[in-house]
Amino acid sequence: MCSLNNSQGLLSLVLHAHLPFVRHPEYDKFLEEKWLFEAINETYLPLLRTFRGLEAKGVDFKLTMSFSPTLSEMLIDPFLQDRYLEHLESMLELAEKEIIRTRTNPEENKMALMYQKLFSENLVDFKGTYNKDITAGFKYFFNKGNLLLITSAATNAFLPNFSEYPEVVRAQIVTAVDSFRRVFSERPQGIWLPECGYYPGLEDILKESGLKFFISSAHGVMYSDTIPDRGVFAPVVCSNGVSVFPREKESGKDIWSPIDGYPGDVVYREFYRDIGFDLPLDYIRPYIQPDDVRVNTGFKYYAITGTEDKKYYNQTTAENKISEHVDNFIYNREKMIKKVSAVFSDRPVLFTAPYDAELFGHWWFEGPKFLEKLFVEIQKSKSLGNCTPLEYLEAYPDNQEINPVFSSWGEQGYAQVWIDSTNDWIYRHLFKIIEQMIELTERYPDATGLKRRALDQAAREVLLSLASDWPLIMKTGTTVPYATKRVKTHILNFHKIYESLSENIVQTEWLTKLEKKNNLFPDISYLVFQKI
Amino acid sequence: MTKERLELLSDEVLHNLAKKVGLKSKAEWSRITLINSIIDAMEEERSETESLLNLAISMESKKYSVTIDEELDFSYDVDEEMEFPHRYNENMLHFMLRDNSWGFVLLDIKNSFYQQYQNDFGDIELILRVIELEDSIYKKDDIIDYFDIQIEKVEKARYINLPNEESFYCVELILRTSNRDVLVNRSQVLATSRNHVNYIMGDNDKLKTIVKLSGFSNVEDSYVAQKNYNRILPIDSMEEES
């Protein structure tokens, strides 16, 4: 096995896990909460099993995972934990019904049994192994040194859009760091900038919070004044000492590309065909939305194949394909190592490869198995090792100083996704509440009691309104009414608190209800928005 | 939204849906034709949207697609009472970067402020002045160039093309009276970045190779290709170029 010092190349996989804060105790069943349940079912729990599988095989894997604070706060929330359990039990019930329904169709039946196994394992892990708090599972591998956990901005705000207000950017970072410490009992040392959104000067705020590195888009580094001597194959360092790991494009393309990326192979499981849409309403009704809105159930029986003649999914064929793709992935990196080594050979070629965590399992069903196999094969490789950014920095602390430029990993590389005719209307209102929030910290520098509670909740509402998910959804066109409602609700909640404070009348009952609903960041201090 | 679900909807709702997906439904269409046309239009719209997105964003949006088309899920329609004010009646100016050559400006002017000048001076104009600067901090002496955009009082937002990469810009909101310009607000200064690798004459072959391996075009090619892209050259430098 290659070590940090004797390998020719190092793969630094980064999985970014994020979901916006979606918690609706006011409804019996809430459609958007399924984002979380599906991610737990198909990504987070399968990933933990992958890690345990690697541990059992004695594979010393190295992986970085960022958990957005909104996601980790949801994962430790007892209400959502119980709701997930209800969802899981309902999926198990559906699995049993499916096993009976498909008994005359061996191919479907095999799949129904596969889903029953998946959900049963999830139940055992969720209830038994992790006592409903799956962050414990990630913490275990974090403490063991296999997993480097890093943070992200508190509510996934696209930070360049708020560069005018360093108070907001600092509030996002400080709140994220505090949340990370509460959930994972350690200070984070690195950060995933939401959407890789960077603007010059951001590193100063990161450094204040003790963050040592962030991941950047490739052009964020390559378009700087100085071309990095090692290209995207080594980190660079900002003038204040914060390190930047640029994304390596080819390793990204192997997996991300919708044309020739591995997840699009015809033998893999099709994401878009789900019995939630295919089976008669009377049968599927208990497992979709109460108003008969059909939703994904997670039971998908087809392989990607063609559009006309869909073939049933075959697990064995898919598993063979995984081996092929892992070999190809390693081959491509080894090929690149040879080429890059002609330019520099004083240290290993680094491949920083970030992906959305939910790609693995939720969308690319075979993703967790791909990772498992990949780490097993890397362990055998004579030229390719794997490491976390922090380990790399320990082994190679001297890196070229470069000033990265404004960039993101969004469409066309800047802020086009988050400032667009479909969503630009939100900024007038967001800037207004930001200014009012800063004003409140000046007006009440040491509030206590009910006033303090109102101010802390005001801070939560501002943070929640800033999530980049809402303008993203408005732009991409999925669940637009929900995103619009969320932005408006948080802004109006803030205004209500602001006006109450101005009139010196805070409605305790309303405030308590809101605190219970939007209950993330329990230790937040509104003073986090203090003027810089 | 499946065909099955569409079939459950009333004719009136179907016609509204058709409008929503940009379809001009005709009275002579049968119910089946209408449903099929809606499905086709939705499919077309979806593929257009998807092709616009880059891979990471496309992946991210998949997290949010628990139904096939939530556009048609009316359960979370925004309450009427949640209408927002169009403006806050204040003097304000915000300047954000959309990319390396476009900025987005949000602006407003307080009614009483505007009224006062109108009473005193009669005809007044509102101007957005886009200023290019030498440095990241505004100083009069550091102004390289500027251009003015006349705007209507009702105009509250605008996308502005920023002529030069690798430069600094700020925006001023100006009230122009018959005899003077009154500065209402000045925005923060923002830097536009280059949209290509920074080619410097004499860069060595190794650097060129690493740039290419990093997934970027050959530095020389990219410099030539990008040089005049989105660029508006000042008149004096155009003469120099020729």
Side-chain angles (χ1 to χ4, degrees), chain A residues 223 225 294 424 428 469, chain B residues 4 64 156 159 194 198:
Chain A
Y223 289 174
D225 287 342
R294 287 178 176 270
D424 58 18
R428 177 180 307 278
D469 310 272
Chain B
E4 193 181 0
Y64 308 127
K156 302 295 173 214
Y159 286 91
R194 70 180 61 79
N198 189 23

Side-chain angles (χ1 to χ4, degrees), chain A residues 18 35 164-165 195 223-225 232 258 272 294 296 363 409 411 414-415 419 424 428-429 432 469, chain B residues 4 52 54-55 59-60 62-64 66 82 85 88 90 94 98 156 159 194-195 198 214-215:
Chain A
H18 163 68
W35 295 339
E164 187 177 350
Y165 297 102
E195 316 297 352
Y223 289 174
S224 60
D225 287 342
V232 295
Y272 294 100
R294 287 178 176 270
N296 287 327
W363 186 57
W409 79 348
E411 178 198 345
Y414 299 96
I419 307 176
D424 58 18
R428 177 180 307 278
H429 308 290
K432 183 72 187 168
D469 310 272
Chain B
E4 193 181 0
L52 282 174
N54 93 326
L55 307 173
M59 181 54 231
E60 205 168 329
K62 279 190 182 66
K63 282 194 280 200
Y64 308 127
V66 281
M82 285 175 77
Y88 291 97
E90 60 186 355
H94 292 284
R98 185 173 188 266
K156 302 295 173 214
Y159 286 91
R194 70 180 61 79
N195 199 21
N198 189 23
S214 296

Side-chain angles (χ1 to χ4, degrees), chain A residues 314-420:
Chain A
N314 183 315
Q315 217 179 345
T316 317
T317 318
E319 275 175 20
N320 292 337
K321 190 55 86 175
I322 291 167
S323 302
E324 214 179 280
H325 283 154
V326 165
D327 290 347
N328 180 262
F329 187 85
I330 292 177
Y331 169 77
N332 288 345
R333 303 295 80 72
E334 286 174 341
K335 211 165 71 179
M336 185 63 95
I337 290 170
K338 277 188 193 145
K339 289 181 188 168
V340 177
S341 300
V343 180
F344 70 87
S345 52
D346 58 329
R347 56 167 81 182
V349 176
L350 180 70
F351 300 92
T352 301
Y355 309 97
D356 260 7
E358 294 78 12
L359 170 74
F360 294 87
H362 174 54
W363 186 57
W364 183 18
F365 185 61
E366 299 77 9
K369 288 220 165 81
F370 172 87
L371 286 179
E372 186 169 344
K373 183 96 180 125
L374 178 65
F375 285 120
V376 169
E377 292 306 314
I378 286 178
Q379 172 121 319
K380 295 179 199 161
S381 170
K382 290 195 172 95
S383 55
L384 186 66
N386 68 130
C387 71
T388 67
L390 217 51
E391 288 169 328
Y392 184 94
L393 289 177
E394 277 160 23
Y396 303 99
D398 296 323
N399 292 293
Q400 190 179 358
E401 190 179 310
I402 268 177
N403 297 318
V405 294
F406 167 46
S407 51
S408 83
W409 79 348
E411 178 198 345
Q412 295 174 56
Y414 299 96
Q416 291 97 330
V417 172
W418 303 275
I419 307 176
D420 175 82

